[in-house]
Amino acid sequence: MALVVFNKNEAGNAFWENMGFASRDDLVYRNKALVDIIRIDT
């Protein structure tokens, strides 16, 4: 199971670490805003 927590969310990170979740250094999270999508299915 995976979850995303912002770095600045100290309380959230402490909570999830206390629940046994570990941070990973081998992953990079990326995102892209999809506001300019041109639909091709219409």
Side-chain angles (χ1 to χ4, degrees):
M1 184 163 119
L3 60 96
V4 176
V5 184
F6 288 107
N7 284 333
K8 295 179 182 180
N9 186 349
E10 295 178 13
N13 281 298
F15 172 81
W16 291 113
E17 186 172 339
N18 190 43
M19 293 284 104
F21 285 78
S23 63
R24 294 179 57 163
D25 295 328
D26 62 330
L27 297 175
V28 175
Y29 177 82
R30 300 183 187 272
N31 67 335
K32 181 177 181 179
L34 301 178
V35 295
D36 295 329
I37 291 179
I38 299 171
R39 291 186 64 157
I40 60 172
D41 63 339
T42 57

Short mmCIF file of all heavy atoms in Angstrom, two decimals:
data_model
loop_
_atom_site.label_atom_id
_atom_site.label_comp_id
_atom_site.label_asym_id
_atom_site.label_seq_id
_atom_site.Cartn_x
_atom_site.Cartn_y
_atom_site.Cartn_z
N MET A 1 0.84 -1.16 0.00
CA MET A 1 0.00 0.00 0.00
C MET A 1 0.89 1.23 0.00
O MET A 1 1.96 1.23 0.59
CB MET A 1 -0.88 -0.01 1.25
CG MET A 1 -1.86 1.11 1.29
SD MET A 1 -3.14 0.75 2.48
CE MET A 1 -2.93 2.09 3.58
N ALA A 2 0.45 2.26 -0.70
CA ALA A 2 1.22 3.49 -0.77
C ALA A 2 0.31 4.68 -0.49
O ALA A 2 -0.90 4.61 -0.73
CB ALA A 2 1.84 3.64 -2.14
N LEU A 3 0.88 5.74 0.01
CA LEU A 3 0.13 6.98 0.22
C LEU A 3 1.05 8.15 -0.03
O LEU A 3 2.26 8.02 -0.05
CB LEU A 3 -0.50 7.05 1.61
CG LEU A 3 0.45 6.99 2.81
CD1 LEU A 3 0.77 8.38 3.30
CD2 LEU A 3 -0.19 6.18 3.90
N VAL A 4 0.46 9.31 -0.25
CA VAL A 4 1.22 10.53 -0.52
C VAL A 4 0.95 11.53 0.60
O VAL A 4 -0.20 11.78 0.95
CB VAL A 4 0.81 11.15 -1.88
CG1 VAL A 4 1.54 12.46 -2.11
CG2 VAL A 4 1.07 10.16 -3.01
N VAL A 5 2.02 12.06 1.17
CA VAL A 5 1.93 13.06 2.23
C VAL A 5 2.91 14.18 1.87
O VAL A 5 4.06 13.91 1.52
CB VAL A 5 2.28 12.47 3.61
CG1 VAL A 5 2.09 13.50 4.70
CG2 VAL A 5 1.47 11.23 3.90
N PHE A 6 2.48 15.42 1.96
CA PHE A 6 3.37 16.53 1.68
C PHE A 6 4.50 16.59 2.70
O PHE A 6 4.30 16.30 3.88
CB PHE A 6 2.62 17.86 1.69
CG PHE A 6 1.72 18.04 0.50
CD1 PHE A 6 0.36 17.95 0.63
CD2 PHE A 6 2.25 18.32 -0.75
CE1 PHE A 6 -0.48 18.12 -0.46
CE2 PHE A 6 1.44 18.49 -1.85
CZ PHE A 6 0.06 18.38 -1.71
N ASN A 7 5.70 16.98 2.25
CA ASN A 7 6.85 17.10 3.15
C ASN A 7 6.57 18.02 4.32
O ASN A 7 7.01 17.77 5.45
CB ASN A 7 8.07 17.64 2.39
CG ASN A 7 8.71 16.61 1.51
OD1 ASN A 7 8.63 15.42 1.77
ND2 ASN A 7 9.36 17.07 0.46
N LYS A 8 5.84 19.11 4.08
CA LYS A 8 5.55 20.10 5.12
C LYS A 8 4.58 19.60 6.17
O LYS A 8 4.44 20.21 7.23
CB LYS A 8 4.98 21.37 4.49
CG LYS A 8 5.94 22.09 3.59
CD LYS A 8 5.27 23.32 2.99
CE LYS A 8 6.19 24.04 2.04
NZ LYS A 8 5.55 25.23 1.45
N ASN A 9 3.88 18.50 5.90
CA ASN A 9 2.88 17.98 6.82
C ASN A 9 3.56 17.14 7.90
O ASN A 9 3.55 15.91 7.88
CB ASN A 9 1.86 17.15 6.06
CG ASN A 9 0.71 16.68 6.92
OD1 ASN A 9 0.74 16.79 8.13
ND2 ASN A 9 -0.31 16.15 6.28
N GLU A 10 4.16 17.81 8.85
CA GLU A 10 4.93 17.12 9.89
C GLU A 10 4.07 16.19 10.72
O GLU A 10 4.47 15.06 11.02
CB GLU A 10 5.63 18.14 10.78
CG GLU A 10 6.70 18.94 10.05
CD GLU A 10 7.36 19.99 10.92
OE1 GLU A 10 7.17 19.97 12.15
OE2 GLU A 10 8.06 20.85 10.36
N ALA A 11 2.87 16.64 11.08
CA ALA A 11 1.98 15.80 11.89
C ALA A 11 1.54 14.56 11.11
O ALA A 11 1.52 13.45 11.64
CB ALA A 11 0.77 16.60 12.36
N GLY A 12 1.21 14.77 9.85
CA GLY A 12 0.79 13.64 9.01
C GLY A 12 1.91 12.64 8.81
O GLY A 12 1.71 11.43 8.90
N ASN A 13 3.10 13.14 8.53
CA ASN A 13 4.25 12.25 8.35
C ASN A 13 4.57 11.50 9.63
O ASN A 13 4.88 10.30 9.59
CB ASN A 13 5.46 13.04 7.84
CG ASN A 13 5.36 13.31 6.36
OD1 ASN A 13 5.34 12.39 5.56
ND2 ASN A 13 5.28 14.57 5.99
N ALA A 14 4.50 12.17 10.76
CA ALA A 14 4.75 11.50 12.04
C ALA A 14 3.69 10.42 12.29
O ALA A 14 4.02 9.31 12.74
CB ALA A 14 4.75 12.51 13.18
N PHE A 15 2.45 10.73 11.97
CA PHE A 15 1.37 9.75 12.16
C PHE A 15 1.62 8.51 11.33
O PHE A 15 1.57 7.38 11.84
CB PHE A 15 0.01 10.37 11.79
CG PHE A 15 -1.11 9.36 11.78
CD1 PHE A 15 -1.72 8.98 12.96
CD2 PHE A 15 -1.54 8.79 10.59
CE1 PHE A 15 -2.74 8.05 12.96
CE2 PHE A 15 -2.57 7.86 10.58
CZ PHE A 15 -3.17 7.49 11.77
N TRP A 16 1.87 8.69 10.02
CA TRP A 16 2.04 7.53 9.16
C TRP A 16 3.30 6.74 9.49
O TRP A 16 3.32 5.51 9.39
CB TRP A 16 2.01 7.96 7.69
CG TRP A 16 0.65 8.41 7.29
CD1 TRP A 16 0.25 9.67 6.95
CD2 TRP A 16 -0.54 7.61 7.25
NE1 TRP A 16 -1.09 9.69 6.70
CE2 TRP A 16 -1.60 8.44 6.88
CE3 TRP A 16 -0.80 6.27 7.50
CZ2 TRP A 16 -2.90 7.98 6.72
CZ3 TRP A 16 -2.11 5.79 7.36
CH2 TRP A 16 -3.13 6.64 6.98
N GLU A 17 4.34 7.44 9.91
CA GLU A 17 5.55 6.72 10.35
C GLU A 17 5.24 5.89 11.58
O GLU A 17 5.67 4.74 11.70
CB GLU A 17 6.68 7.71 10.64
CG GLU A 17 7.99 7.01 10.95
CD GLU A 17 9.16 7.97 11.06
OE1 GLU A 17 9.08 9.09 10.52
OE2 GLU A 17 10.15 7.57 11.71
N ASN A 18 4.44 6.44 12.49
CA ASN A 18 4.03 5.71 13.69
C ASN A 18 3.17 4.50 13.34
O ASN A 18 3.16 3.51 14.07
CB ASN A 18 3.27 6.65 14.64
CG ASN A 18 3.04 6.02 15.99
OD1 ASN A 18 3.94 5.39 16.55
ND2 ASN A 18 1.85 6.19 16.52
N MET A 19 2.47 4.56 12.21
CA MET A 19 1.63 3.45 11.75
C MET A 19 2.45 2.40 11.00
O MET A 19 1.91 1.41 10.52
CB MET A 19 0.52 3.97 10.82
CG MET A 19 -0.50 4.85 11.50
SD MET A 19 -1.66 3.88 12.50
CE MET A 19 -1.07 4.19 14.15
N GLY A 20 3.76 2.62 10.89
CA GLY A 20 4.63 1.63 10.26
C GLY A 20 5.00 1.92 8.82
O GLY A 20 5.70 1.12 8.19
N PHE A 21 4.55 3.06 8.27
CA PHE A 21 4.91 3.42 6.90
C PHE A 21 6.29 4.06 6.88
O PHE A 21 6.60 4.89 7.73
CB PHE A 21 3.88 4.41 6.33
CG PHE A 21 2.56 3.78 5.95
CD1 PHE A 21 1.63 3.46 6.92
CD2 PHE A 21 2.26 3.52 4.62
CE1 PHE A 21 0.42 2.90 6.59
CE2 PHE A 21 1.05 2.95 4.28
CZ PHE A 21 0.13 2.64 5.25
N ALA A 22 7.09 3.68 5.92
CA ALA A 22 8.43 4.23 5.78
C ALA A 22 8.49 5.09 4.53
O ALA A 22 7.81 4.82 3.54
CB ALA A 22 9.45 3.11 5.69
N SER A 23 9.31 6.14 4.56
CA SER A 23 9.53 6.92 3.35
C SER A 23 10.52 6.17 2.46
O SER A 23 11.34 5.39 2.94
CB SER A 23 10.05 8.31 3.68
OG SER A 23 11.31 8.22 4.32
N ARG A 24 10.40 6.42 1.15
CA ARG A 24 11.26 5.73 0.19
C ARG A 24 12.08 6.75 -0.58
O ARG A 24 11.56 7.75 -1.04
CB ARG A 24 10.41 4.90 -0.77
CG ARG A 24 9.70 3.76 -0.07
CD ARG A 24 8.85 2.97 -1.02
NE ARG A 24 9.65 2.44 -2.13
CZ ARG A 24 9.25 1.47 -2.93
NH1 ARG A 24 8.06 0.91 -2.75
NH2 ARG A 24 10.01 1.05 -3.91
N ASP A 25 13.34 6.46 -0.73
CA ASP A 25 14.23 7.33 -1.49
C ASP A 25 14.40 6.87 -2.93
O ASP A 25 15.03 7.55 -3.73
CB ASP A 25 15.61 7.39 -0.83
CG ASP A 25 15.55 8.03 0.55
OD1 ASP A 25 14.70 8.91 0.75
OD2 ASP A 25 16.36 7.64 1.41
N ASP A 26 13.80 5.73 -3.28
CA ASP A 26 13.98 5.18 -4.62
C ASP A 26 12.84 5.55 -5.58
O ASP A 26 12.84 5.14 -6.73
CB ASP A 26 14.11 3.67 -4.56
CG ASP A 26 12.88 2.98 -4.00
OD1 ASP A 26 12.19 3.59 -3.16
OD2 ASP A 26 12.59 1.85 -4.39
N LEU A 27 11.89 6.37 -5.11
CA LEU A 27 10.77 6.76 -5.95
C LEU A 27 10.75 8.27 -6.17
O LEU A 27 11.17 9.03 -5.30
CB LEU A 27 9.43 6.36 -5.29
CG LEU A 27 9.20 4.87 -5.09
CD1 LEU A 27 7.90 4.66 -4.33
CD2 LEU A 27 9.17 4.14 -6.41
N VAL A 28 10.26 8.67 -7.32
CA VAL A 28 10.05 10.08 -7.62
C VAL A 28 8.59 10.23 -7.99
O VAL A 28 8.09 9.55 -8.88
CB VAL A 28 10.93 10.56 -8.79
CG1 VAL A 28 10.61 11.99 -9.16
CG2 VAL A 28 12.40 10.39 -8.44
N TYR A 29 7.88 11.11 -7.31
CA TYR A 29 6.47 11.38 -7.61
C TYR A 29 6.41 12.53 -8.59
O TYR A 29 7.02 13.58 -8.39
CB TYR A 29 5.73 11.74 -6.32
CG TYR A 29 4.28 12.10 -6.54
CD1 TYR A 29 3.33 11.10 -6.67
CD2 TYR A 29 3.88 13.41 -6.64
CE1 TYR A 29 2.01 11.42 -6.89
CE2 TYR A 29 2.56 13.75 -6.85
CZ TYR A 29 1.63 12.74 -6.98
OH TYR A 29 0.31 13.05 -7.20
N ARG A 30 5.68 12.34 -9.68
CA ARG A 30 5.53 13.39 -10.69
C ARG A 30 4.06 13.58 -10.98
O ARG A 30 3.27 12.64 -10.91
CB ARG A 30 6.26 13.04 -11.97
CG ARG A 30 7.74 12.83 -11.79
CD ARG A 30 8.42 12.54 -13.12
NE ARG A 30 9.80 12.17 -12.94
CZ ARG A 30 10.80 13.04 -12.89
NH1 ARG A 30 10.56 14.33 -12.99
NH2 ARG A 30 12.03 12.64 -12.72
N ASN A 31 3.69 14.79 -11.34
CA ASN A 31 2.32 15.05 -11.76
C ASN A 31 2.31 16.10 -12.84
O ASN A 31 3.29 16.80 -13.07
CB ASN A 31 1.42 15.43 -10.59
CG ASN A 31 1.79 16.76 -9.98
OD1 ASN A 31 2.92 17.20 -10.08
ND2 ASN A 31 0.86 17.41 -9.35
N LYS A 32 1.19 16.19 -13.52
CA LYS A 32 1.02 17.17 -14.58
C LYS A 32 -0.43 17.60 -14.59
O LYS A 32 -1.33 16.76 -14.56
CB LYS A 32 1.39 16.56 -15.94
CG LYS A 32 1.26 17.53 -17.08
CD LYS A 32 1.70 16.89 -18.38
CE LYS A 32 1.58 17.89 -19.52
NZ LYS A 32 2.02 17.33 -20.79
N ALA A 33 -0.65 18.90 -14.62
CA ALA A 33 -2.02 19.42 -14.70
C ALA A 33 -2.60 19.06 -16.06
O ALA A 33 -1.95 19.22 -17.09
CB ALA A 33 -2.02 20.93 -14.50
N LEU A 34 -3.82 18.58 -16.05
CA LEU A 34 -4.46 18.15 -17.28
C LEU A 34 -5.53 19.13 -17.74
O LEU A 34 -6.56 18.74 -18.27
CB LEU A 34 -5.06 16.75 -17.08
CG LEU A 34 -4.07 15.68 -16.67
CD1 LEU A 34 -4.78 14.35 -16.44
CD2 LEU A 34 -2.98 15.50 -17.72
N VAL A 35 -5.28 20.40 -17.57
CA VAL A 35 -6.29 21.40 -17.90
C VAL A 35 -6.35 21.73 -19.39
O VAL A 35 -7.35 22.25 -19.86
CB VAL A 35 -6.07 22.70 -17.10
CG1 VAL A 35 -6.27 22.46 -15.63
CG2 VAL A 35 -4.69 23.26 -17.37
N ASP A 36 -5.31 21.42 -20.14
CA ASP A 36 -5.27 21.77 -21.55
C ASP A 36 -5.40 20.56 -22.46
O ASP A 36 -4.88 20.55 -23.57
CB ASP A 36 -3.96 22.51 -21.86
CG ASP A 36 -3.86 23.85 -21.17
OD1 ASP A 36 -4.91 24.47 -20.96
OD2 ASP A 36 -2.74 24.25 -20.83
N ILE A 37 -6.10 19.54 -22.02
CA ILE A 37 -6.28 18.34 -22.82
C ILE A 37 -7.25 18.62 -23.97
O ILE A 37 -8.30 19.24 -23.79
CB ILE A 37 -6.81 17.18 -21.96
CG1 ILE A 37 -5.74 16.73 -21.00
CG2 ILE A 37 -7.27 16.02 -22.82
CD1 ILE A 37 -6.17 15.60 -20.10
N ILE A 38 -6.88 18.15 -25.13
CA ILE A 38 -7.77 18.22 -26.28
C ILE A 38 -8.37 16.83 -26.50
O ILE A 38 -7.63 15.86 -26.72
CB ILE A 38 -6.99 18.67 -27.54
CG1 ILE A 38 -6.40 20.07 -27.31
CG2 ILE A 38 -7.89 18.64 -28.77
CD1 ILE A 38 -5.44 20.51 -28.39
N ARG A 39 -9.68 16.74 -26.42
CA ARG A 39 -10.33 15.43 -26.59
C ARG A 39 -10.26 14.99 -28.03
O ARG A 39 -10.48 15.79 -28.94
CB ARG A 39 -11.78 15.53 -26.14
CG ARG A 39 -11.90 15.72 -24.63
CD ARG A 39 -13.33 15.67 -24.22
NE ARG A 39 -13.86 14.33 -24.50
CZ ARG A 39 -14.90 13.83 -23.86
NH1 ARG A 39 -15.55 14.52 -22.97
NH2 ARG A 39 -15.32 12.63 -24.15
N ILE A 40 -9.96 13.72 -28.23
CA ILE A 40 -9.89 13.17 -29.59
C ILE A 40 -10.97 12.12 -29.82
O ILE A 40 -11.02 11.50 -30.87
CB ILE A 40 -8.49 12.57 -29.88
CG1 ILE A 40 -8.18 11.44 -28.91
CG2 ILE A 40 -7.43 13.66 -29.83
CD1 ILE A 40 -6.92 10.67 -29.24
N ASP A 41 -11.85 11.92 -28.85
CA ASP A 41 -12.86 10.87 -28.97
C ASP A 41 -14.24 11.41 -29.35
O ASP A 41 -15.21 10.71 -29.27
CB ASP A 41 -12.94 10.08 -27.68
CG ASP A 41 -13.40 10.92 -26.50
OD1 ASP A 41 -13.27 12.14 -26.56
OD2 ASP A 41 -13.87 10.35 -25.52
N THR A 42 -14.32 12.68 -29.73
CA THR A 42 -15.62 13.23 -30.08
C THR A 42 -15.74 13.54 -31.55
O THR A 42 -14.80 13.59 -32.27
CB THR A 42 -15.91 14.53 -29.30
OG1 THR A 42 -14.86 15.46 -29.56
CG2 THR A 42 -16.00 14.29 -27.83
#
